[in-house]
């Protein structure tokens, strides 16, 4: 059973948050990170490790939904995406 959002609203100050950029993919966030929406309200990522979108095409902003994989395989793509979305992130996100 998942812990309610309010119980995780303030991250443990002693725990480390590790953010790993995946080549051509999202930012993987591991640890007790607090995600806020544009209005400053907490957003529940639903898990302890989650991926933040960097391509801007996700339907689940700010979280990655794997759309970057579709974008790089779309017809007409020439493989020179400045955002790096033409490389495999190996994250499965």
């Amino acid at each position: 059973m998942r812990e309610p959002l309010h119980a995780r609203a303030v991250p443990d100050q002693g725990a480390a948050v590790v953010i790993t950029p995946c080549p051509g993919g999202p930012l993987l966030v591991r640890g007790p990170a607090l995600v806020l929406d544009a209005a400053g309200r907490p957003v529940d990522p639903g898990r302890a490790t989650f991926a933040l979108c960097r391509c801007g095409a996700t339907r689940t902003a700010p979280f990655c939904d794997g759309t970057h994989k579709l974008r790089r395989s779309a017809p007409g793509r020439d493989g020179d995406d400045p955002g790096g979305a033409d490389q495999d992130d190996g994250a499965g996100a």
Side-chain angles (χ1 to χ4, degrees):
M1 186 164 138
R2 264 188 10 206
E3 189 176 59
L5 176 61
H6 66 273
R8 294 188 291 157
V10 179
D12 177 4
Q13 298 299 317
V17 174
V18 177
I19 301 173
T20 307
C22 295
L27 295 173
L28 289 183
V29 181
R30 293 178 179 91
L34 176 61
V35 179
L36 302 175
D37 67 13
R41 295 178 301 246
V43 177
D44 186 359
R47 58 186 66 185
T49 298
F50 55 92
L52 293 174
C53 176
R54 291 194 297 165
C55 77
T58 184
R59 293 173 305 275
T60 59
F63 305 105
C64 177
D65 66 2
T67 300
H68 61 278
K69 292 179 183 182
L70 298 174
R71 291 182 65 189
R72 78 172 155 248
S73 64
R77 294 293 307 227
D78 59 8
D80 65 352
D81 182 10
D86 293 307
Q87 301 171 8
D88 187 22
D89 62 59

